[in-house]
Structures are given as C-alpha cells and as structure tokens.
Amino acid sequence: MARILIVEDEALIAMMLEDIVTDLGHDPVGPMMRLQPALAAAEREDFDFAILDINLAGQQSFPVADCLIRRGIPFIFASGYGRAGLAGDYARIPILQKPYDPGQVAAMIASRAAGA
Amino acid sequence: MTQTADPFSFLGHDGPVARLIKGFAWGNTPLGRVETWPQSLKTAAALLIHSPVPMVMLWGEDGVMIYNDAYSVFAGARHPALLGSNVRDGWPEVADFNDHVMKVGLAGGTLAYQDQELTLHRKGHPEQVWMNLDYSPVPDESGRPAGVIAIVVETTDRVLAERRNREEFQRLQSLFVQAPTFMAMVSGSDHRFTLVNPEYRKLIGGRDVMGLPAREALPEVGDQGFFDLLDHVFTSGEAVKRSSQRILLKWRDQGPLEERFLDFVYQPIRDEDGTVAHIFVQGSDVTERVRGENHQRLLINELNHRVKNTLAAVQSIVGQTLRHAATPREAASAITARIMALSGAHDVLTRERWDGADLRALVESAVHPFRNPGPDAFRLDGPEMRVGPYAAISIALALHELGTNAVKYGALSAPGGTVQVRWTVADRDFRLEWIETGGPPVIPSDRRGFGSRLILQVLPDQLQGRADMDHRPTGIAFTLTTSVEAVSDQPA
C-alpha cells in the first residue's frame, strides 16, 4: 500500500482517480485541483507516488513535476493531450491517457514505484 | 560585215541581271544606247554587277536604275520591270524619299541610314521593311556627280527579331514586376542582389538591397541558415525547395523581428561555360496559411483533449453511480440524468466558446429538469457574473445533485416547497446558497454517495473554499463560499 498524491483539475475525474487508487489498495492524498495547493502538497506532504494532470485549469503543472523530481518521488503524467509538448526531463515520464484504464494505472504505479 | 564586238563586254559578267542589261533597249531611256555611255557609267555598272551586296545605281537626273543580282532578289516582283526605270517611277511608294536621295547625291553628298523603316509594295501589297541604306555620288569624267550608287541591305529580319526580343524582355520584366510571388536574382559567390521585384522588397520590409551582398543586405537573416543554403546552391549547382520555412525579418528599426513563413525555391542559373553565376530566388509568403494550419492543429488538439476529458468525466459518472446505486434501473436513470447535467453545462460553455459561462444561464440550465410545470418552485437571485469553465462544470453538477436530492427527499418532494438559489459577491468573496423551504424535515444521512462527496468534498477542494450543509427544520441549506478568483478559474 502506497500513499498516492492525486493532482487533477476536474472534479469528476479527480473523484474517479481517488476511487481507482483506493480500489487498487492505495491511500489517496488530495485530490489537489489547482497549481498552488498541488505545489504546496508536493513540497510538504508525505507520499510515495503521484499522478499529475499536466493542465491545471489552464496552468501547466510542470513546477509540481520539478518538485517531485527534486524530491525523487516517482510520478506519472495524466493528460488528454498525449505527449505533445513534453520535452527534456519530462520526456521520459510515462503518460496516463484519459479516459483511464485502472489496469494501466496499476501497472504504471507498480513499474514506476519499482524505480523503472 | 565584220562581227561587231559585244558592247557590254565591259560588264565582264554573265549573271541573270547582266543578261537582262545586255538585252535591254537602253535607247528608250535617258541613258541612251550603250555605245553612247560614258566610261564612268560603264565602270560603275561593272563594279556593282560583280558585287554580292545588293546595289543599285541611279543615273542622271531621272535616276535610271541599274542593279545587280542581289538587288533583284531584294526587289521581289518589281524585278525585272524595275531595271532601266526611273527610280521615282520604279518605287512610287517611296518617291519622296528617293527624290531627296537624288538631290543630295547629285549635289555630291552622301547619305547613310541604319534600319530605315520603309513601306514597299514588292509583292503587290504594302510591306513594312527595314534597311541599311548607303548612298554616295558617282562622278562622271569631269568629276561632277552624274549618278548615285546605293548599297541596300535589308535588315527586316534582324529588326523584327530584335523587336520580338525586346517585347519578350518587357513581358518578362512586367511579369517579374507584377508577379504575385517574390522574386530576386543574386549573383556571384557573395550573392549580390541584381534583381528584386516589388513583392520581394515588400517581404524584406521595403529595404533597398540592389547591389548589396545578401549577408550585408539582410543581416538579421545571417544565422537563420538561408545564406548557407545559397552557398550550397552556388557551389553544388543543385536547386533547393523549401516549404513553410520560418524566417525572422527586420520590418522596423525597433521592436521584435517579424515572423514569416515562406515557400521558396533557389534555382541556380549557369553562364555559357556551365558554372553557376546567379541564383534565382522565387517564392511566396505563406504566413497566413501556416498560421491557419497551426490554429487548426491547435483546435483539433483542443477538441481531442475535450473529447478525452469528457469521456473520462462520463467514465467517472458511470463508475461512481454504479458503485452506489441500489438497482440497475436506478443506476441507469441516475447516469442519464448526470450525463444530461454535464451536457447542459457544456452547452452553456459552448455558447461562450468555452471561455466561461454566465452564472445565471448556468444555474437556469442546471435546475431546468426540476422545474414543475405548475407554479415555479425556484427563485434565482444574484448579480450578473461569469464563472470559469472548470468551476462551471462542477457548480452545474453540484446543483444537479442538490436538485435530485430535493426532488427525492427535500422541498421539491412535496407540493408548495421552494428552492432559492442565491449568489453574492462581496469584495472578493463569492457565496452560493441553495436554500430549501416548505419540504419535509430532512434527516442528515451518513451515506457518502456521489452527490454528497462531490458537493461537500471535491467542489470546495476544487474551488479552494468551504462547503456547508445545514439541516434546518424548514429544509436543507447548502452554502459554498470561496473567492471570485477561484470561480473564475484564476490562480489564487
């Protein structure tokens, strides 16, 4: 069981991610739905993994990603856009595509948490 | 009778015209019989009859014509009648011209014309011809001019060819000037501008670059690869073609460079020995097209994003509704109602191009399914204001859940019950209230279903505010308090 930070701007989708994560036997942290609270949580909260929506109400969540990279906490991006616009350090981060396949979420958490 | 010697032996020639001269009845002309001809006339006649250049002699005041074989070809159908005739009669269409020639020549003067344009009737119809004409006097034994000798070289073919070339050049030049595409010619290894059309000048912001090397003329383009490409074309001799190539050009003395997109060709032009001497630059400014394509790509990406997000939202509604529903029938109707609520919020947003939504229109849309056909149970009260697209969807879904609850258990489950939806803005604080009155008392439920989770947990999280549910004896009262920034989707 891992503590998983959920950063997602849309209420319905955030609720679903919470359910998916809970169903997988993990403990959701959040959801954080705007950049500032997400950044504060990424800096302060204690968690093992994060699912990070790239677009937070029109703002990109890359500062949160940078914080997670700095803290060495594994994470995946979530997006409806696909890989477009992901470069540099972010290019190697897996992307979870919307709508979500819980099996894929489980596999991504497992492989990223194992340090892959 | 002794054989008389040939009186025309002085000609020393037996060509077609010489034979005509020998057979001609000169006695009927002002020249008189050949036996009476002065030596000067004979010598001059012999001289011209041998010449391969078209020549004619106009002898005496009348200008009686004696000419050679080459001139007979020039004279066309006028030959042979022209031989021995007076020049003014022989060429009536240019009689004035020849009159002047005769006067000048017999006065000892010379005349020379280059590409003289004349209209001659050599073939029975008027014909525009050009000739180089050289006239000089022929002196008689006393040294006085007795005739005029003319060298007549027709230049019509050359003049017409030159005229065609000139017209062709002018056509090309006007094409070049009026072309809707930009064109320029750069010459030499430093690519000096030797031709620039108006469109090209427009492209480079109206600068005068004629005669300048490209790197000097357009310094801001130096590190953008275009001149390296010109170097490559110049050394390799291979044409290059590029599409939608981005370029930054200096259009103003100050401020940022202008971003344009170009389709263009660099075409090497070789000189006679085959080496590249010039490069023809031709192309179009396709900035508008490229921007349109980019905009379209952006729209398609955005659409794809919305579709994916909406699918995820529907996935969430279905998953969570099924989790909490008692029966499949209840689940089916709740899923439909929630998807309809989501769709209604989308409609309001689409009307405003997803920039945001008018809050009253959003509330109207959300409570619409719960309005009675009879007396209206809803009172909507609040200032005109806009909310952001993310906040709009959550608020619409929250109102839907409140409405569903009110119909099942609250004010709308009994006749006479009413709901007041009120929103206020005070300073930067935003407050939204849902106040039910006139319904049966509602007991707080400890069941955390989709609705209460959305209303009490996720909505305040999203809007960085507070949500309170008060179970009053008169009915429930729900209050959302947050900031104007949060409901506008603005970063706090």
Side-chain angles (χ1 to χ4, degrees):
Chain A
M1 160 151 154
R3 283 173 59 77
I4 296 181
L5 175 69
I6 294 169
V7 179
E8 162 62 57
D9 62 351
E10 291 200 35
L12 282 172
I13 299 170
M15 289 162 80
M16 173 172 59
L17 269 180
E18 268 191 291
D19 286 348
I20 290 173
V21 164
T22 309
D23 288 350
L24 291 173
H26 300 299
D27 187 8
V29 179
M32 298 302 158
M33 305 177 74
R34 290 293 183 269
L35 181 60
Q36 284 313 320
L39 201 51
E43 277 163 0
R44 282 195 285 274
E45 294 281 336
D46 178 25
F47 56 94
D48 312 297
F49 190 86
I51 299 173
L52 181 54
D53 191 2
I54 294 173
N55 178 0
L56 295 178
Q59 288 186 296
Q60 292 195 313
S61 64
F62 296 135
V64 181
D66 293 339
C67 174
L68 295 174
I69 290 169
R70 203 165 53 240
R71 287 185 65 184
I73 298 172
F75 66 99
I76 54 175
F77 282 125
S79 172
Y81 280 112
R83 287 220 77 88
L86 282 188
D89 279 351
Y90 311 134
R92 63 188 175 81
I93 309 290
I95 292 197
L96 181 63
Q97 298 283 353
K98 295 176 186 178
Y100 300 131
D101 171 4
Q104 198 193 5
V105 178
M108 281 182 162
I109 293 173
S111 81
R112 289 289 289 164
Chain B
M1 288 281 284
T2 50
Q3 180 82 33
T4 314
D6 175 9
F8 288 98
S9 60
F10 66 87
L11 288 175
H13 198 265
D14 196 28
V17 174
R19 283 198 295 279
L20 288 171
I21 292 172
K22 289 172 191 177
F24 195 81
W26 295 103
N28 298 334
T29 74
L31 263 51
R33 291 163 47 81
V34 71
E35 289 79 0
T36 67
W37 288 8
Q39 187 55 45
S40 53
L41 171 56
K42 290 181 186 174
T43 306
L47 184 137
L48 72 85
I49 204 79
H50 282 269
S51 175
V53 178
M55 290 175 83
V56 61
M57 185 159 57
L58 317 169
W59 193 264
E61 293 291 334
D62 296 311
V64 177
M65 301 176 77
I66 297 174
Y67 49 81
N68 62 8
D69 290 331
Y71 186 88
S72 74
V73 174
F74 158 77
R78 286 282 167 85
H79 175 74
L82 202 58
L83 188 70
S85 69
N86 297 345
V87 68
R88 295 177 187 83
D89 303 333
W91 294 105
E93 65 271 36
V94 287
D96 289 349
F97 182 84
N98 282 323
D99 191 52
H100 176 66
V101 163
M102 290 310 300
K103 279 178 180 145
V104 172
L106 291 180
T110 61
L111 288 167
Y113 298 96
Q114 283 281 312
D115 295 330
Q116 173 65 40
E117 186 180 357
L118 295 171
T119 304
L120 300 181
H121 294 247
R122 295 183 295 189
K123 297 162 192 164
H125 57 83
E127 189 190 1
Q128 206 79 357
V129 298
W130 286 264
M131 286 180 289
N132 287 348
L133 299 166
D134 289 284
Y135 299 94
S136 48
V138 183
D140 64 9
E141 279 68 8
S142 67
R144 275 203 312 273
V148 177
I149 196 160
I151 302 170
V152 176
V153 179
E154 184 168 359
T155 57
T156 304
D157 288 348
R158 181 175 56 75
V159 167
L160 289 179
E162 281 174 4
R163 175 181 284 193
R164 273 194 302 276
N165 283 346
R166 200 160 47 241
E167 284 168 357
E168 183 77 357
F169 179 75
Q170 278 163 355
R171 241 196 327 276
L172 283 175
Q173 199 166 37
S174 67
L175 185 99
F176 190 77
V177 169
Q178 293 168 25
T181 57
F182 62 75
M183 295 178 181
M185 185 85 89
V186 291
S187 305
S189 59
D190 60 352
H191 321 302
R192 279 174 188 273
F193 283 96
T194 47
L195 274 177
V196 168
N197 80 342
E199 277 299 307
Y200 192 90
R201 254 192 98 151
K202 205 166 104 189
L203 175 72
I204 58 173
R207 280 173 284 182
D208 186 8
V209 295
M210 279 297 280
L212 294 178
R215 283 183 169 84
E216 193 181 310
L218 307 170
E220 77 278 17
V221 183
D223 54 0
Q224 297 182 43
F226 292 89
F227 301 143
D228 298 339
L229 205 58
L230 282 175
D231 290 340
H232 170 75
V233 172
F234 195 81
T235 51
S236 72
E238 290 163 17
V240 298
K241 193 177 167 198
R242 293 281 185 278
S243 293
S244 307
Q245 183 78 42
R246 181 173 180 265
I247 189 169
L248 295 171
L249 287 163
K250 194 179 172 79
W251 278 15
R252 292 163 227 87
D253 284 339
Q254 259 114 44
L257 297 175
E258 183 77 15
E259 180 188 58
R260 307 304 291 176
F261 293 89
L262 310 177
D263 285 356
F264 66 91
V265 180
Y266 288 162
Q267 178 67 48
I269 307 291
R270 296 168 187 280
D271 62 14
E272 296 75 25
D273 63 4
T275 57
V276 177
H278 316 278
I279 298 171
F280 185 58
V281 177
Q282 193 264 327
S284 307
D285 184 334
V286 295
T287 307
E288 302 318 314
R289 186 191 79 199
V290 169
R291 288 194 182 143
E293 285 166 359
N294 287 346
H295 184 62
Q296 192 177 35
R297 198 171 308 127
L298 209 70
L299 286 182
I300 289 170
N301 277 347
E302 188 56 34
L303 176 67
N304 187 46
H305 174 238
R306 285 212 186 117
V307 167
K308 299 288 190 199
N309 258 10
T310 303
L311 284 174
V314 169
Q315 180 190 18
S316 173
I317 288 171
V318 171
Q320 294 187 70
T321 309
L322 287 176
R323 227 171 251 265
H324 301 290
T327 65
R329 180 190 288 272
E330 187 191 312
S333 87
I335 286 169
T336 301
R338 284 168 177 157
I339 289 175
M340 293 310 289
L342 181 64
S343 171
H346 282 190
D347 285 344
V348 175
L349 286 168
T350 301
R351 277 204 292 277
E352 306 203 26
R353 304 169 70 189
W354 283 75
D355 283 342
D358 174 66
L359 183 56
R360 178 176 295 272
L362 189 75
V363 173
E364 291 273 10
S365 160
V367 304
H368 180 75
F370 312 113
R371 285 188 188 274
N372 289 322
D376 192 0
F378 282 95
R379 282 212 341 263
L380 272 45
D381 182 20
E384 189 181 320
M385 67 174 288
R386 291 170 59 77
V387 295
Y390 291 90
I393 289 176
S394 300
I395 290 171
L397 291 171
L399 294 176
H400 173 78
E401 295 305 320
L402 288 166
T404 305
N405 245 22
V407 168
K408 275 189 188 162
Y409 318 107
L412 303 181
S413 68
T418 59
V419 178
Q420 185 183 19
V421 184
R422 189 167 66 190
W423 59 96
T424 52
V425 174
D427 205 4
R428 303 310 294 166
D429 295 331
F430 172 81
R431 189 181 174 92
L432 175 72
E433 291 169 293
W434 171 284
I435 301 159
E436 298 184 16
T437 47
V442 181
I443 307 129
S445 148
D446 53 0
R447 211 176 120 206
R448 296 286 275 178
F450 171 83
S452 58
R453 190 174 155 205
L454 175 74
I455 293 165
L456 298 176
Q457 184 194 325
V458 183
L459 181 68
D461 265 1
Q462 184 183 35
L463 299 182
Q464 296 168 261
R466 276 176 55 90
D468 297 295
M469 185 72 91
D470 188 6
H471 292 83
R472 300 173 186 166
T474 49
I476 67 150
F478 167 80
T479 310
L480 171 73
T481 47
T482 178
S483 67
V484 172
E485 285 75 20
V487 286
S488 312
D489 289 339
Q490 302 295 317

